[in-house]
Amino acid sequence: MPSRRRTLLKVIILGDSGVGKTSLMNQYVNKKFSNQYKATIGADFLTKEVQFEDRLFTLQIWDTAGQERFQSLGVAFYRGADCCVLVYDVNSMKSFDNLNNWREEFLIQASPSDPENFPFVVLGNKVDVDGGNSRVVSEKKARAWCASKGNIPYFETSAKEGINVEEAFQCIAKNALKSGEEEEIYLPDTIDVGTSSQPRSTGCEC
Amino acid sequence: MSSSDSSSSSSVDDPNPNPKPLDNQFESLNLEQESESTIIQNDDGEGQQDQESSLNGSLNVNRNNHEQDDRIDGGHVTSVLWRRTNSEVEVDGPSSPSSSGYAGERGSSGASEDDEIHEVANHGVIDGVFDSQAAWLPGKRHVDEDDASISWRKRKKHFFILSHSGKPIYSRYGDEHKLAGFSATLQAIISFVENGYMDELGDRIKLVRAGKHQVVFLVKGPIYLVCISCTEEPYESLRGQLELIYGQMILILTKAVNRCFEKNPKFDMTPLLGGTDVVFSSLIHSFSWNPATFLHAYTCLPLAYGTRQAAGAILQDVADSGVLFAILMCKHKVVSLVGAQKASLHPDDMLLLSNFIMSSESFRTSESFSPICLPRYNPVAFLYAYVHYLDVDTYLMLLTTSSDAFYHLKDCRIRIETVLLKSNVLSEVQRSMLDGGMHVEDLPGDLLPRSGSASHLGQHQQPTDSPGRFREPFVGIGGPAGLWHFIYRSIYLDQYVSSEFSAPINSPRQQKRLYRAYQKLYASMHDKGNGPHKTQFRRDENYVLLCWVTPDFELYTAFDPLADKGLAIKTCNRVCQWVKDVENEIFLLGASPFSW
């Protein structure tokens, strides 16, 4: 338990398989990119320390598997998230269309206290592919969708080239931090001796 | 045959519940069990039956038989020898394998505990060069490590607390924040099991074995606790340690933290526990030196009956004036304690409370008033503890339900302190600390007449006994019949007494190893699946261990590995008699808020 206050932020990355979730995380945390595709099994976990407005905090990044067979892990994985990152591939219309499903699934499973204002960030990844010639989702279309869902911040990224990755995660951290501000007040009771005397189990419970 | 591969033991169930002299029990048993079966194998592949007999974590399977302080020993078990015997065996004697005896033993007496795997040629390491245990330093060590560090991965025993969203709360080693990814992995494993079997709700992961490591999980609502250990301790012991760590957390915060998680799953508990590292590390350290952590009993400082009565009388006096519990302790030993009517205090609560107070330096420097929660008494609400050190080791705790009772309790303390000084209780306490407790060398008896033959504990009543002897830590020579050490636990008093360590159990490492052996014995005697057992006799290259459980007490003894069985049994009876003879001095009797 650190004596000085540090905040830990849980960030979930969601999106169809193959849109580059793991690559984005690797680019951000390790500054590395590999062309090899390796499907994530279940989830990968990485941590990154971030300085923001003179405060040090830790991002705990949950890189989840996009394959549908891992969806059953949802509740447990999404519980207590501070921010959810939705990723699609600008070269795949289906991955963009599915953003809505990912967002709704997350809100159902994580059931945050204030779903309207839960911080999402949307990343349109792989903008580098084919010099943008194979792109099928326009920035305009993506931004319109984000605006309709309560002005979700939007970034166009390339995990391969490292474009916008740092900026996107800065924004993710900022939004996660914002949502973490209203903390529960811890209010323990004091024993009322009239009612508290519990019979003690005799003998050995072990 | 060398001692390293002559493990043998027998475990016995006595159908007679009445405690009678121990030798009778063993005599009857020797008649019943003459057969012997021996299995020798080179790996644990044939251990199926054993694993079945202990679903929640078996003992001794695939483990080498020693440990280093904090590090994994570099050596690997390349060749093991596994021997099972039904009765105490002279190994080179005639052997008559008997499958019926084998099965009968398994069914009735938890023989799986008696399997021992012995690493061939490891004995040099046990007592030898690695025997340098550094003095324990309070507080967290190795803060710079994380799960990428080789050194972190080599630690023998990790403890973690995390939230149900995977946020780290505490780690024994390393920086919690750097371990956030590891913590998330632990949560994912726990959640995977919970989610993976939706048709069997309530499924929980309890134990994972990975090579020589055990990963033990304990889920307490939104709080997850995990131990990763290669210390070969039984699953039950490790789970008990996790329960204590959880209790320590509750003692500091109460279960009110659960409400925070209910309202806000991403709640971060770490700030609430700020500065309590040292409390947890001290508790974890006590797992290897304080038998109270597995006996669930407390121990008293030896004192003349009248002295303890005097202390109890003044504590009772203040308890009648609205104090819930008044406890006077010296280090981890109780001098006296009283509770208000109907209020009872669990030994585990006492352990956690005294650990909290002794590990927090600030209690020593001034009188304090602190909210604390006694998890076994009432886990959801706070009490208030007035704490004051009367001398360097002796401290008074007055527990109340009233948050504005500080000045009243201060007055109580002044009254108590005055009386304790006047009646010389405090000086007697210090004297007892110097004299120590029961020494196996002093075991009275007729077998080996000893000079002075001290027939009771109180050395100060026997000025002929040189008091200087008790201040020398390493002078002991062991007791009669090769008796090295014993622990006697009185069941209805919830108290135990442990003999002082003497040669050859001198170093902290040897003491820790003996406690681990006791702990294993305790777990096997209390194994719900196979137990309860009445007696157990084990012999390996380190000790003869003899355990005897009756409805009134439990006795754990350690002897020289070459000790004679018959003599050892007789000696156990003498130890029990001795304890009875001095019970006025070593136990807190009567007026106990613990019983009924």
Side-chain angles (χ1 to χ4, degrees):
Chain A
M1 282 143 271
S3 45
R4 77 202 136 95
R5 175 109 188 218
R6 273 192 303 173
T7 311
L8 186 123
L9 301 169
K10 176 171 175 177
V11 175
I12 309 272
I13 306 185
L14 298 178
D16 282 6
S17 61
V19 298
K21 299 180 291 299
T22 304
S23 297
L24 279 165
M25 189 170 79
N26 262 327
Q27 177 60 253
Y28 177 58
V29 177
N30 302 320
K31 302 274 178 276
K32 278 183 192 150
F33 179 81
S34 160
N35 262 317
Q36 294 270 317
Y37 175 67
K38 198 180 74 194
T40 304
I41 308 294
D44 273 352
F45 310 96
L46 279 178
T47 48
K48 169 113 173 163
E49 288 205 339
V50 184
Q51 183 102 22
F52 181 73
E53 286 174 359
D54 291 341
R55 277 177 71 186
L56 192 66
F57 53 97
T58 307
L59 291 186
Q60 180 192 54
I61 307 171
W62 292 56
D63 170 31
T64 62
Q67 283 83 0
E68 287 188 357
R69 67 178 189 278
F70 294 112
Q71 296 307 300
S72 69
L73 295 172
V75 185
F77 277 21
Y78 303 166
R79 185 194 291 138
D82 294 279
C83 179
C84 178
V85 183
L86 303 172
V87 186
Y88 77 99
D89 175 355
V90 297
N91 308 293
S92 155
M93 187 55 78
K94 186 164 171 289
S95 74
F96 175 74
D97 291 340
N98 273 337
L99 285 187
N100 210 37
N101 298 337
W102 284 112
R103 180 177 169 276
E104 283 182 3
E105 184 70 10
F106 176 85
L107 289 175
I108 291 165
Q109 303 238 34
S111 52
S113 48
D114 183 7
E116 298 300 309
N117 294 309
F118 187 87
F120 287 95
V121 173
V122 171
L123 307 185
N125 194 32
K126 301 196 188 180
V127 292
D128 60 284
V129 172
D130 205 8
N133 288 327
S134 59
R135 177 164 188 152
V136 293
V137 184
S138 70
E139 181 172 352
K140 194 178 163 205
K141 185 171 181 171
R143 287 199 181 276
W145 184 81
C146 289
S148 74
K149 299 295 172 191
N151 282 320
I152 301 179
Y154 176 72
F155 290 87
E156 303 225 312
T157 58
S158 162
K160 185 176 180 181
E161 310 288 343
I163 299 167
N164 252 346
V165 175
E166 191 69 35
E167 292 81 351
F169 274 90
Q170 276 290 329
C171 173
I172 290 161
K174 196 175 77 187
N175 284 7
L177 200 56
K178 224 189 293 168
S179 86
E181 301 288 68
E182 352 83 56
E183 284 213 328
E184 285 318 310
I185 301 159
Y186 155 76
L187 263 182
D189 303 320
T190 298
I191 288 181
D192 173 2
V193 81
T195 56
S196 67
S197 294
Q198 297 172 332
R200 187 183 148 240
S201 58
T202 47
C204 175
E205 296 95 313
C206 14
Chain B
M1 207 174 273
S2 79
S3 69
S4 73
D5 52 14
S6 63
S7 156
S8 68
S9 55
S10 73
S11 172
V12 188
D13 225 1
D14 189 334
N16 183 355
N18 297 321
K20 55 181 181 177
L22 187 54
D23 38 358
N24 296 348
Q25 303 189 12
F26 275 99
E27 272 156 27
S28 64
L29 150 177
N30 286 339
L31 291 174
E32 291 160 20
Q33 300 203 339
E34 289 173 352
S35 63
E36 170 201 340
S37 62
T38 304
I39 298 170
I40 298 174
Q41 59 187 40
N42 287 327
D43 59 35
D44 63 334
E46 293 170 51
Q48 279 311 97
Q49 238 182 320
D50 271 300
Q51 279 156 349
E52 280 166 25
S53 71
S54 46
L55 288 170
N56 291 338
S58 59
L59 299 148
N60 299 343
V61 180
N62 192 20
R63 297 289 183 264
N64 60 342
N65 201 31
H66 69 282
E67 68 193 48
Q68 303 311 324
D69 179 31
D70 259 326
R71 303 281 184 132
I72 294 169
D73 179 21
H76 289 286
V77 185
T78 49
S79 160
V80 289
L81 182 108
W82 185 352
R83 177 175 295 279
R84 166 192 293 286
T85 51
N86 267 5
S87 56
E88 193 202 4
V89 167
E90 311 310 326
V91 181
D92 41 4
S95 154
S96 56
S98 152
S99 60
S100 64
Y102 187 81
E105 180 189 59
R106 178 172 310 282
S108 66
S109 59
S112 65
E113 290 85 352
D114 298 331
D115 299 332
E116 291 273 356
I117 292 177
H118 294 281
E119 183 175 352
V120 173
N122 66 357
H123 23 299
V125 185
I126 294 176
D127 298 305
V129 286
F130 291 101
D131 203 24
S132 55
Q133 164 148 337
W136 182 75
L137 298 169
K140 183 152 162 166
R141 291 176 293 165
H142 317 296
V143 215
D144 297 333
E145 296 178 353
D146 60 36
D147 52 338
S149 324
I150 303 287
S151 53
W152 187 88
R153 287 166 177 268
K154 282 188 174 171
R155 306 264 165 235
K156 288 206 80 177
K157 200 169 173 187
H158 286 277
F159 286 101
F160 306 95
I161 312 177
L162 52 137
S163 80
H164 64 168
S165 69
K167 294 192 176 181
I169 295 170
Y170 171 79
S171 168
R172 182 186 189 189
Y173 301 114
D175 175 273
E176 283 85 4
H177 273 232
K178 286 185 190 152
L179 291 168
F182 189 79
S183 176
T185 311
L186 291 174
Q187 194 244 305
I189 292 169
I190 294 166
S191 304
F192 181 78
V193 174
E194 263 173 40
N195 283 20
Y197 303 90
M198 290 305 273
D199 40 349
E200 294 172 63
L201 283 174
D203 242 339
R204 286 275 162 79
I205 186 164
K206 294 163 87 174
L207 172 67
V208 171
R209 286 181 181 284
K212 57 197 281 188
H213 284 81
Q214 293 186 90
V215 189
V216 179
F217 299 87
L218 182 66
V219 173
K220 292 284 188 181
I223 310 289
Y224 296 170
L225 299 103
V226 181
C227 171
I228 301 180
S229 163
C230 59
T231 58
E232 299 162 48
E233 290 165 271
Y235 163 76
E236 289 76 12
S237 305
L238 297 174
R239 193 195 49 198
Q241 292 167 12
L242 289 177
E243 291 273 3
L244 285 174
I245 290 175
Y246 178 69
Q248 190 75 74
M249 202 200 82
I250 295 301
L251 183 131
I252 297 167
L253 292 178
T254 79
K255 274 191 173 175
V257 287
N258 287 7
R259 286 204 300 266
C260 300
F261 284 106
E262 277 160 27
K263 286 186 199 149
N264 177 11
K266 63 191 177 197
F267 177 69
D268 182 7
M269 243 181 79
T270 34
L272 290 179
L273 286 172
T276 57
D277 266 345
V278 69
V279 179
F280 289 93
S281 56
S282 153
L283 177 67
I284 290 167
H285 177 60
S286 74
F287 296 154
S288 56
W289 68 263
N290 189 348
T293 57
F294 63 90
L295 289 174
H296 307 287
Y298 69 100
T299 196
C300 286
L301 186 74
L303 282 176
Y305 181 71
T307 308
R308 203 185 310 280
Q309 286 290 100
I314 180 64
L315 294 183
Q316 186 63 57
D317 213 30
V318 305
D320 295 338
S321 76
V323 173
L324 194 59
F325 297 108
I327 312 163
L328 183 62
M329 292 184 76
C330 186
K331 290 191 170 167
H332 66 291
K333 296 182 176 181
V334 170
V335 174
S336 186
L337 70 92
V338 300
Q341 258 198 330
K342 286 185 187 166
S344 63
L345 193 52
H346 192 282
D348 285 354
D349 282 351
M350 294 186 58
L351 170 77
L352 296 171
L353 182 60
S354 62
N355 178 64
F356 178 67
I357 286 164
M358 282 191 291
S359 61
S360 313
E361 199 55 39
S362 60
F363 286 114
R364 293 176 192 278
T365 51
S366 62
E367 54 185 342
S368 315
F369 194 61
S370 165
I372 56 105
C373 166
L374 298 178
R376 297 288 198 134
Y377 180 73
N378 184 338
V380 300
F382 268 136
L383 291 169
Y384 297 89
Y386 173 93
V387 182
H388 185 75
Y389 271 83
L390 304 177
D391 63 39
V392 66
D393 292 321
T394 314
Y395 52 100
L396 176 70
M397 295 173 279
L398 302 173
L399 307 191
T400 175
T401 58
S402 160
S403 59
D404 51 11
F406 176 82
Y407 289 102
H408 171 61
L409 296 180
K410 185 187 173 77
D411 291 344
C412 290
R413 187 267 300 172
I414 293 168
R415 266 171 59 209
I416 293 169
E417 195 167 12
T418 310
V419 171
L420 292 179
L421 281 170
K422 258 190 209 151
S423 53
N424 288 325
V425 171
L426 289 179
S427 51
E428 287 295 311
V429 164
Q430 287 183 350
R431 185 164 166 176
S432 173
M433 283 297 283
L434 289 173
D435 288 349
M438 301 174 87
H439 295 257
V440 289
E441 294 85 356
D442 295 337
L443 177 66
D446 44 13
L447 280 167
L448 294 170
R450 303 172 62 78
S451 63
S453 77
S455 61
H456 54 80
L457 169 71
Q459 293 96 11
H460 43 278
Q461 294 167 4
Q462 282 231 321
T464 47
D465 254 347
S466 157
R469 186 170 64 109
F470 301 100
R471 295 188 186 119
E472 300 257 357
F474 301 136
V475 172
I477 48 159
L483 175 65
W484 282 353
H485 189 263
F486 68 85
I487 296 179
Y488 178 104
R489 174 182 183 238
S490 162
I491 288 166
Y492 83 102
L493 290 175
D494 274 342
Q495 296 172 44
Y496 74 91
V497 62
S498 170
S499 69
E500 298 289 322
F501 286 109
S502 64
I505 318 273
N506 289 332
S507 73
R509 236 183 61 67
Q510 287 164 323
Q511 293 162 11
K512 175 169 157 184
R513 190 174 61 185
L514 177 59
Y515 278 147
R516 291 259 167 92
Y518 280 150
Q519 187 181 299
K520 206 175 246 186
L521 204 55
Y522 181 93
S524 74
M525 294 300 277
H526 292 262
D527 183 331
K528 287 192 181 90
N530 298 320
H533 309 301
K534 301 287 185 283
T535 53
Q536 192 171 152
F537 182 91
R538 304 165 61 95
R539 188 197 295 276
D540 63 23
E541 75 269 33
N542 299 316
Y543 322 100
V544 158
L545 293 176
L546 212 167
C547 178
W548 183 21
V549 174
T550 78
D552 294 330
F553 65 84
E554 298 180 353
L555 178 68
Y556 299 86
T557 53
F559 290 83
D560 185 302
L562 300 175
D564 175 78
K565 183 176 175 182
L567 272 179
I569 289 166
K570 284 205 177 80
T571 306
C572 283
N573 285 316
R574 284 164 57 195
V575 168
C576 290
Q577 188 55 50
W578 188 27
V579 168
K580 255 177 215 124
D581 291 345
V582 296
E583 65 177 1
N584 278 340
E585 293 172 61
I586 54 176
F587 292 135
L588 174 63
L589 301 172
S592 163
F594 291 87
S595 10
W596 44 85

